[in-house]
Structure formats: structure tokens, C-alpha cells
Amino acid sequence: MKIAVVGTGYVGLVTGTCFSEIGIQVKCVDIDEEKVKKLQNGTIPIYEPGLDLLFERNIREKRLAFTTSLAEGINDADVIFLALPTPPNEDGSADLKYVLKVAEDIGTLLKRYTIIVDKSTVPVGTAELVKEKISNKTSIEFDVASNPEFLREGVAVEDFMKPDRVVIGANTDKAKKILGDLYAPLVRQGNPIIFMDIRSAELTKYAANAFLATKITFMNEIANLCELLGADVDMVRRGIGTDNRIGKRFLFAGIGYGGSCFPKDVQALAKSSKEVKYNFRILNAVMEINNQQKIKLIDKIKAYFNHDLKGKTIAIWGLSFKPYTDDIREAPAIDNIYKLLDAGVNIQAYDPEAMNNVRLILGDKIKLVNEEYDALHNADALMIFTEWPVFRTPDFSIMKSKMKNNIIFDGRNLYDPDTMKENGFSYISIGRKEVYV
Ligand code: NAD
């Protein structure tokens, strides 16, 4: 089987590389010439653990290739995956211009039966639009299917190679058979391939992300209540997470969800609901709460410094929206940085992987340093925005020797408050008691 993957970002590159790993011939297409040049030269433009090994092997074994030409990329493909961006429009709806433009171009290039698969996260009804765009340009037989992607950045390779489930929305037996065969090697342990109608598949992806965003937000609301009632959100988390009906995951309170998916997908689902005159009230609350939660530490740090942050030096640990990725799209750290800059703060920041991306958007507005302890030099406070493992067990005596004030504002609840006090730190986190020295 031969496949093409159009769009070689976080999803497309992982999809293409992982399919090549199971013996499929893969051509990846991207309009970004610089990105394609890097890939052709054997360099991966993103940070994704474990991807390099597979990438190098499959290039060497000539199963994986990259091109900027759609015609060349899809020339002999049996299946074409669309892994294109679907960013939010100003009104929150998903912008389908990339998907629909490529669909139209594919229509002019088809030579024989092909399945075009939406892997991008797209609103219900998009497959029908894709079908229409292609039909307008060709009389060759083709199918459009929906195959939403559930991989998580940071563990994307593992998620792709061992998916909990594969969702395939298709309405012909031919498309179901070909896509089922393509995915079969990835579900040998018995995880299901769930076939369904296309509209349900499209909605499944939004439902999953909206549910997870709601679960995080619910816990953040509990954390806010804990602060007012003198309870500890970590204890409550352990108390409820052990209930199988609730489950342990996505229960960590913090400074809100971010990333390239949750915020845009929650918005897009709310907008889709509105379009059919359904008021999806939970989603509206989730978005409002998360926007406040993201900058929750700003209120706390302002209160601590009597609402005068001007000229203060703040150290920041963590810039990516979550650990093990360099992705800073909608990262809470970035919202916080803008607020701190507005307040006249000097920022010294460190992140293990995301600093290059931050440099691209913030230039020299903040100082980026090469080591976590360098960020602490003469700092009036430390703020933690991402729970990278390297921040979990720092050397507190080095920290104290560098910082001007021993106070930490922790948006990810990395440390135990009592232990921090014993170590000589004032420590303010989310949904737990504040300790002062
Ligand atoms: P991305 O921005 O990292 O990658 C998209 C790629 O498409 C870019 O390299 C861009 O240059 C390329 N592109 C744009 N127009 C093109 C065109 N006309 N022809 C060829 N290439 C083109 O995006 P992503 O994070 O990989 O997300 C892609 C889709 O997958 C989105 O709909 C997203 O919601 C969904 N998704 C993302 C994740 C994730 O964790 N990132 C997970 C599941 C689903």
C-alpha cells in the first residue's frame, strides 16, 4: 500500500513516519519549503520524543520521502491523509481554507480510485464539503473518510503506534476495508477500530477534547474552592481519582489547559453548536473559566508585591504548553509573560525545548537562559508554568543562593507546601495552602 500525507506538522510527520515504520510507502507533502528541505536533509523540525529513531530508519530504508509538490506526493497513493491546520477563525469556528484548497487541488490530480482521509480536526459536515470540492474537478471514483487523530504531543509516537482506539468514519465498504487493513498492524493487541458514519467520527474528536478540557476545568474550579474553604486540591484529587468511574487522569489542578488543540476545539464545538441554535452552556463556562485560570498566578504575584511589579525580576521555569514538547501554541506561559511585561517586569526564562519557538515570537523582550538555575539570578520570585520533570527535584540550596527573594509561584503544584517551608521558601500554588517564611 502507498499513502500520501499532506501537511507535515506535528500530526502529519508522526502519521507519515509511523506508517512507514509498519512497511507502508509514504510520501509527505508540505508547502513550507524550508521545512521540507530540512526533512529531506534528515532533520526533524519539531521536538517529539522517539520520532528521530523511526524517521532515520525509514528514510534510510527509502519508505519515507518528502516533497513540496502535491502532484508528486499523491501520484501513486492509494490513500491520501489530510493533516492540515484548522486554526480558529475570529468567531471561533474552524478555518477550513487549507483543507478545502488542498481538496480542490487533489480533484485536479486524481488518476484512479483513491481515499481522501480527513485527519485534521474538522467540524461535522467537512467531509461533505471536501467531497464536493473534489467532485467539482474530477469524474474519477474516490471516497472521503474521516479518521480523527487522538495522539498527544510529547507521546505522539507511542500514541500512534499503540492507539487506544482508531476511529474511522466511512460510508463505503471499500473505504472501510482499505483503512481497516492499513491500521490493522497497529491494533494487534485487540484495541478496537471503531467504524462509524462520517458525521459521528467528525464529532467524536471534538467530543473527546471538549470532555477532557471540561474535566481539567472542573478540577480547577474545585481548586479555586479549596483555596476559599481551606482544603487541599491534591488530597481531593487523590480522593476522587481512585474512584474507577472518575479515573486518575486529567484531574491535576493548575493554570489551565493550553496547546494547539483544546482551546481551538472547545471554541469550534461551541461555535458549531451555536450554528444549529444549540446553546452548549458547559462549553461556554469552560472557556470563560480557563481564560481566568490561565492568569491566576498573576493576581497572586501582584497581591504579594502590593500591586507594584515594575522593575521586578521574575524567573520563569517552563514555556511549552506541556512537558516533552516544544509547542507553545496557546501556552499559559505566554499569556502570563505578556501580562508580566505589561506590568514592567524583567523576565529571565528557561525551558528545555521551547526556547527557540519563544524567541521567534518574543525576540529580546525576555531573557532566555541555557540552564534552569541561571534564570534565578537575582530574581525577586520564581514562577513555574510547565511541569517538566527536570523542575521536580531541584537543588533548593542552589536556588536560594541565586534568588533575591525565596518565593515561588507554582502553576503546576510540583512541590509539597510544608517541605518548601522547611527548605526556606515561601510557596504559593493552586488550590493548596500558601506558606510563607
Ligand atoms: P501543524 O501546524 O503542526 O502542521 C500543519 C502543516 O500543514 C504545516 O507544516 C503547514 O506548513 C502544512 N500546510 C499548510 N497548508 C498546506 C498545503 N496547502 N499543502 C501542504 N501542506 C500545508 O498542525 P498539527 O498540529 O499537525 O495539526 C494538524 C491538524 O491535526 C489540526 O486540525 C489539528 O487540530 C489536528 N490535531 C492536532 C494534534 C496535535 O497534538 N498537534 C492532535 C490531534 C489532531
Side-chain angles (χ1 to χ4, degrees), residues 330-390:
E330 299 275 338
I334 306 301
D335 293 83
N336 280 276
I337 286 172
Y338 281 124
K339 293 269 176 209
L340 292 169
L341 289 173
D342 282 349
V345 164
N346 303 312
I347 296 175
Q348 302 174 164
Y350 171 77
D351 185 283
E353 294 295 338
M355 292 199 291
N356 285 340
N357 285 337
V358 169
R359 205 169 278 120
L360 291 177
I361 60 163
L362 288 173
D364 57 6
K365 289 199 183 98
I366 69 171
K367 187 172 170 192
L368 294 164
V369 298
N370 291 329
E371 216 218 88
E372 68 267 35
Y373 296 115
D374 290 347
L376 304 175
H377 181 68
N378 248 341
D380 291 287
L382 165 65
M383 297 181 86
I384 301 176
F385 294 135
T386 319
E387 63 276 33
W388 282 95
V390 69

Side-chain angles (χ1 to χ4, degrees), residues 174-436:
K174 196 168 172 181
K176 280 183 200 161
K177 168 85 174 66
I178 292 172
L179 294 176
D181 287 351
L182 183 61
Y183 272 106
L186 302 178
V187 291
R188 293 183 62 222
Q189 283 176 345
N191 289 351
I193 297 179
I194 306 171
F195 291 100
M196 58 180 80
D197 63 281
I198 294 176
R199 287 188 156 237
S200 301
E202 289 171 331
L203 188 55
T204 296
K205 173 65 191 179
Y206 282 109
N209 276 0
F211 182 82
L212 294 171
T214 304
K215 194 171 177 188
I216 294 170
T217 304
F218 178 83
M219 215 48 205
N220 285 335
E221 286 279 74
I222 293 289
N224 294 337
L225 200 54
C226 282
E227 288 178 13
L228 296 170
L229 296 177
D232 182 326
V233 74
D234 254 354
M235 291 300 124
V236 178
R237 171 179 64 79
R238 288 162 65 183
I240 66 171
T242 37
D243 183 329
N244 281 337
R245 294 170 302 175
I246 294 172
K248 294 191 179 73
R249 296 165 73 186
F250 282 81
L251 283 185
F252 286 84
I255 47 168
Y257 62 78
S260 67
C261 290
F262 284 3
K264 98 173 157 58
D265 294 349
V266 172
Q267 268 187 70
L269 185 57
K271 185 71 176 72
S272 291
S273 309
K274 212 170 166 188
E275 275 166 13
V276 290
K277 300 201 171 13
Y278 184 73
N279 183 10
F280 204 145
R281 283 161 293 177
I282 293 180
L283 290 189
N284 296 333
V286 165
M287 289 186 286
E288 188 190 327
I289 295 160
N290 197 61
N291 284 339
Q292 288 164 10
Q293 194 71 18
K294 267 185 170 183
I295 49 168
K296 177 128 185 122
L297 284 185
I298 295 288
D299 290 339
K300 294 186 185 235
I301 196 170
K302 278 188 174 162
Y304 181 81
F305 287 110
N306 293 323
H307 297 273
D308 184 14
L309 290 177
K310 199 164 188 324
K312 294 271 183 290
T313 296
I314 306 293
I316 290 177
W317 282 1
L319 298 165
S320 56
F321 84 92
K322 65 175 184 177
Y324 293 110
T325 181
D326 60 352
D327 197 345
I328 56 164
R329 291 178 284 184
E330 299 275 338
I334 306 301
D335 293 83
N336 280 276
I337 286 172
Y338 281 124
K339 293 269 176 209
L340 292 169
L341 289 173
D342 282 349
V345 164
N346 303 312
I347 296 175
Q348 302 174 164
Y350 171 77
D351 185 283
E353 294 295 338
M355 292 199 291
N356 285 340
N357 285 337
V358 169
R359 205 169 278 120
L360 291 177
I361 60 163
L362 288 173
D364 57 6
K365 289 199 183 98
I366 69 171
K367 187 172 170 192
L368 294 164
V369 298
N370 291 329
E371 216 218 88
E372 68 267 35
Y373 296 115
D374 290 347
L376 304 175
H377 181 68
N378 248 341
D380 291 287
L382 165 65
M383 297 181 86
I384 301 176
F385 294 135
T386 319
E387 63 276 33
W388 282 95
V390 69
F391 304 144
R392 281 179 200 274
T393 49
D395 185 323
F396 293 119
S397 53
I398 298 183
M399 290 173 74
K400 278 194 289 192
S401 73
K402 302 242 176 196
M403 293 175 74
K404 196 153 72 185
N405 271 323
N406 297 334
I407 175 144
I408 299 175
F409 294 85
D410 181 358
R412 299 298 175 189
N413 288 358
L414 294 189
Y415 315 121
D416 169 59
D418 291 328
T419 311
M420 293 312 284
K421 189 163 182 177
E422 279 162 28
N423 278 306
F425 283 90
S426 297
Y427 180 65
I428 294 172
S429 52
I430 305 286
R432 304 185 302 169
K433 71 177 171 192
E434 300 179 354
V435 292
Y436 295 92

Side-chain angles (χ1 to χ4, degrees), residues 4-117:
V5 181
V6 188
T8 313
Y10 287 88
V11 168
L13 184 58
V14 171
T15 301
T17 306
C18 290
F19 273 132
S20 67
E21 177 71 8
I22 56 165
I24 311 275
Q25 283 293 331
V26 180
K27 282 211 181 120
C28 293
V29 185
D30 206 289
I31 43 162
D32 184 334
E33 289 180 10
E34 207 176 309
K35 189 179 266 188
V36 170
K37 204 171 279 170
K38 269 191 188 157
L39 290 161
Q40 286 170 337
N41 291 333
T43 308
I44 300 182
I46 54 167
Y47 172 73
E48 187 57 54
L51 188 60
D52 48 352
L53 209 77
L54 276 57
F55 176 82
E56 280 154 26
R57 176 168 39 238
N58 288 289
I59 288 189
R60 203 172 50 240
E61 294 179 5
K62 299 201 182 330
R63 279 192 297 268
L64 181 62
F66 299 91
T67 176
T68 52
S69 157
L70 184 66
E72 185 193 326
I74 69 168
N75 186 35
D76 47 6
D78 303 296
V79 180
I80 303 170
F81 285 93
L82 306 183
L84 293 156
T86 47
N89 285 313
E90 234 160 59
D91 64 359
S93 61
D95 184 351
L96 295 177
K97 69 169 178 279
Y98 303 97
V99 170
L100 297 182
K101 173 71 176 71
V102 170
E104 201 171 327
D105 293 345
I106 287 173
T108 64
L109 295 166
L110 278 193
K111 290 190 186 132
R112 61 198 168 84
Y113 174 79
T114 312
I115 308 173
I116 294 89
V117 183

